[in-house]
Amino acid sequence: MDKNNTNSPLSVRLGFARQQDVVTDSSGALRVPTRYDTGGGAGNTVETHWCQAVDLAADRAQAPGLAKAGFDQIDLAGRKDLQSLLTEVNHAGELDELSAKRIRREIQGKTFHLLNGRRLKVLFVAPEGFIMRRSGPNGLDISPGQAMTERNGHKAADQVHGDQNVYGTPLKKMLKRTAPWLFRHQTLGRRNRVSPFFLLNLWVPLQQHTQPLTLADRRSINSAQHQICYALPTEGFLEREEDQALNDLWLFLHDQKQQWYCDTSMNHERAYVFDTLGAPHGAATLPGEDVAEIYFRKLSEIIDCVDRGESLLTLEHTASLPDVPPAAPDRLRQLLSSAGELINEAAEASTLTGSGWSDRARAVARSFIRQSLEMRLVALVY
């Protein structure tokens, strides 16, 4: 555990739905109307707020738990074959079909321990919804123009959302309206507390010095006022029948009473499990990520210059580099320090040939990129 971690809340920036976009539909429900754009998303309907989040890196015992809050963590460290696969995907920077199949085999049918000691048995990993997300520091688009596919081309989710409405599309048709009786859920005053079966997302951070997944304790959400219906267009990245082209999910309005959690120390030895049927979550921007974006861009610029065999004398290296911010979490501060040392080394060197600088710099630059896997599963908790 990092020595500078404390129990003090961490300020993170999260994206929320805008109040001015919310309407009341014919059923009386709050809704953001569907908006089509090239990415199949909600268009420019996000407003950001700085929120106080508990950093579980300081003490994972603070996690309130799956049944109560809607999310928890599981330990993957001892799964050697799975860890090997996750390392391969992380290095590749993409998820191919063979890797997805092999990872599913390592998850499906296996039993994991939640933080409170209860067991979670994975009964089924769905083929749909198994994706890789990649984003740079401060939400930087690191692959502009890349097409979104079923597996790849997904950026970190910059808007707090809940993935599925148990009463909506596609679950309503796929499970012939039995989903509310089959799965435990809490949905705008309606709930199922009896079923031991959960529809969950499993989220694995391959690396996340920046843009950590951040989740709300759903008990702190005023669902009647702040949980908003939204139908997400999926034509751009999923092959579905026409009557299932819109995916019913949830957006959320911001409120200061909401309680947020992240874990800045996670890597792929741990994973989140959270309720697919409404648990609010999204990628957060950490203090210092604006500085991280500057360091990342400068380091990438020098790497490109070295690769082209061009002189480094034309580059401005350190004059415009801001200081490492003290509010940044420990791991991000350490990464910024490493990047700064490499940039200084490049500024002072007459040549970088044979120094191993490029290999070291590439490794540090890659570490700025948040890469994660997520998949949808049916699980039994006991």
Side-chain angles (χ1 to χ4, degrees), residues 16-90:
F16 295 86
R18 304 184 304 179
Q19 182 68 63
Q20 62 263 40
D21 296 321
V22 178
V23 299
T24 302
D25 65 19
S26 59
S27 69
L30 298 179
R31 178 175 295 276
V32 170
T34 297
R35 301 194 180 186
Y36 294 85
D37 63 20
T38 55
N44 186 24
T45 61
V46 180
E47 65 180 26
T48 61
H49 295 269
W50 284 96
C51 305
Q52 297 299 300
V54 175
D55 186 355
L56 296 174
D59 180 11
R60 292 196 174 101
Q62 296 180 90
L66 179 62
K68 294 180 179 179
F71 70 92
D72 211 324
Q73 290 185 9
I74 58 175
D75 187 358
L76 306 179
R79 317 272 173 156
K80 293 184 179 180
D81 290 342
L82 176 59
Q83 287 299 307
S84 178
L85 287 168
L86 296 175
T87 299
E88 290 176 12
V89 173
N90 186 35

Side-chain angles (χ1 to χ4, degrees), residues 5 22 36 67 88 134 194 197 199 203 223 236 246 257 267 289 303 308 340 382:
N5 282 331
V22 178
Y36 294 85
E88 290 176 12
R134 303 178 75 242
V194 178
F197 300 108
L199 184 62
W203 188 87
S223 58
L246 294 177
K257 295 180 181 178
N267 57 26
E289 285 201 36
I303 292 171
R308 293 192 300 266
Y382 59 99

Side-chain angles (χ1 to χ4, degrees), residues 306-319:
V306 172
D307 286 348
R308 293 192 300 266
E310 298 177 359
S311 171
L312 301 178
L313 298 178
T314 59
L315 294 175
E316 295 181 8
H317 298 305
T318 60

Side-chain angles (χ1 to χ4, degrees), residues 42-245:
N44 186 24
T45 61
V46 180
E47 65 180 26
T48 61
H49 295 269
W50 284 96
C51 305
Q52 297 299 300
V54 175
D55 186 355
L56 296 174
D59 180 11
R60 292 196 174 101
Q62 296 180 90
L66 179 62
K68 294 180 179 179
F71 70 92
D72 211 324
Q73 290 185 9
I74 58 175
D75 187 358
L76 306 179
R79 317 272 173 156
K80 293 184 179 180
D81 290 342
L82 176 59
Q83 287 299 307
S84 178
L85 287 168
L86 296 175
T87 299
E88 290 176 12
V89 173
N90 186 35
H91 184 75
E94 63 178 6
L95 177 65
D96 60 34
E97 290 300 323
L98 178 59
S99 295
K101 182 178 180 180
R102 293 168 67 194
I103 291 171
R104 287 181 75 235
R105 189 180 301 133
E106 293 297 324
I107 298 292
Q108 187 164 290
K110 305 299 191 298
T111 299
F112 302 88
H113 285 91
L114 300 172
L115 287 176
N116 64 2
R118 298 190 70 185
R119 295 182 179 183
L120 182 148
K121 184 176 180 62
V122 179
L123 304 178
F124 177 69
V125 178
E128 184 179 294
F130 191 174
I131 64 174
M132 184 172 187
R133 293 188 185 274
R134 303 178 75 242
S135 282
N138 210 29
L140 179 67
D141 184 356
I142 57 170
S143 304
Q146 180 183 5
M148 185 186 297
T149 66
E150 184 176 358
R151 297 270 185 249
N152 297 290
H154 299 260
K155 302 175 181 64
D158 64 355
Q159 186 168 19
V160 172
H161 63 285
D163 286 305
Q164 292 277 258
N165 182 343
V166 72
Y167 293 95
T169 301
L171 291 178
K172 181 167 59 176
K173 181 176 180 180
M174 290 173 60
L175 297 176
K176 299 180 180 180
R177 300 180 183 270
T178 64
W181 290 269
L182 181 60
F183 298 119
R184 183 174 296 217
H185 70 91
Q186 299 181 28
T187 308
L188 296 183
R190 294 178 287 183
R191 60 188 61 202
N192 178 345
R193 290 179 174 175
V194 178
S195 176
F197 300 108
F198 289 74
L199 184 62
L200 300 175
N201 273 33
L202 175 67
W203 188 87
V204 185
L206 300 176
Q207 57 187 38
Q208 63 146 15
H209 291 82
T210 62
Q211 299 287 290
L213 184 69
T214 302
L215 303 105
D217 183 334
R218 65 182 173 199
R219 296 169 298 181
S220 71
I221 303 292
N222 186 327
S223 58
Q225 296 181 14
H226 302 140
Q227 186 168 343
I228 314 299
C229 301
Y230 181 70
L232 173 72
T234 64
E235 295 98 325
F237 57 96
L238 289 179
E239 294 184 6
R240 284 184 175 176
E241 297 179 6
E242 185 176 352
D243 62 350
Q244 298 186 55

